[in-house]
Amino acid sequence: ATLNLTINNSTSSTTNESSCDNYNWNGQTYNTSGTYNYITTNANGCDSTATLNLTINNSTSSLTVKTTCDNYTWSITSQTYASSGTYTNISTNANGCVHTDSLILMINNSTSSTSNESACDSYNWNGQTYTASGTYSWIGTNSVGCDSTATLNLTINSASSSSSVSYES
């Protein structure tokens, strides 16, 4: 008796992969790290096992909500903003994945005003009595918590008293 025997071998392979957020392998999407197997038939009709050792690194993000007066310099970008809005900066994190920084910014504005006044002898302004002409400033806080600067341009007119003495002879 003659036996003509052909032994076909099964095959196997191992792949190590790292990916950000998810990885597509053999039509399947994976979003967690782990070891995954894919079994199929090789060209000789025997089992073929592919093993995937997968590391999933995640994208990251941060959110800053800020309310400030007049302008804000964002330390992430060193950029100064003077208007309210939502700003985004995209970079790469330590794992090589996307990192998104978001800034929600509310800008409140400082205010200023100027008054031109004249008075005789003295003038009372913001709890202070002034007796000389000049330009005076008062700094306080407005309704949104920012600086409020008021300027007073003051002219003091002194009342003059005149006496008249009359001599009769």
Side-chain angles (χ1 to χ4, degrees):
T2 301
L3 173 63
N4 293 322
L5 178 62
T6 301
I7 301 289
N8 293 320
N9 294 316
S10 296
T11 55
S12 65
S13 64
T14 301
T15 304
N16 298 313
E17 288 290 336
S18 288
S19 183
C20 294
D21 301 319
N22 60 56
Y23 184 76
N24 190 314
W25 185 59
N26 292 315
Q28 180 73 34
T29 300
Y30 300 94
N31 56 17
T32 56
S33 296
T35 300
Y36 301 97
N37 291 311
Y38 178 76
I39 300 172
T40 189
T41 303
N42 66 19
N44 294 324
C46 298
D47 285 345
S48 174
T49 302
T51 300
L52 172 65
N53 295 318
L54 180 62
T55 301
I56 293 292
N57 296 310
N58 292 309
S59 295
T60 53
S61 64
S62 71
L63 174 65
T64 301
V65 178
K66 183 75 175 171
T67 300
T68 191
C69 297
D70 301 322
N71 61 58
Y72 178 72
T73 301
W74 193 14
S75 63
I76 299 293
T77 62
S78 299
Q79 187 168 357
T80 299
Y81 299 96
S83 59
S84 298
T86 300
Y87 302 95
T88 303
N89 182 64
I90 308 272
S91 61
T92 302
N93 66 20
N95 293 323
C97 299
V98 172
H99 179 77
T100 304
D101 291 294
S102 297
L103 170 65
I104 298 174
L105 181 61
M106 177 63 163
I107 296 287
N108 292 321
N109 293 308
S110 296
T111 53
S112 64
S113 63
T114 300
S115 300
N116 298 310
E117 297 291 337
S118 61
C120 293
D121 298 322
S122 67
Y123 185 78
N124 189 313
W125 184 61
N126 289 322
Q128 179 82 26
T129 301
Y130 298 93
T131 58
S133 296
T135 300
Y136 302 96
S137 293
W138 176 87
I139 299 175
T141 303
N142 65 19
S143 63
V144 293
C146 298
D147 286 344
S148 175
T149 303
T151 301
L152 172 65
N153 295 318
L154 179 61
T155 303
I156 295 292
N157 299 311
S158 297
S160 58
S161 61
S162 63
S163 332
S164 122
V165 176
S166 159
Y167 296 100
E168 290 186 28
S169 13

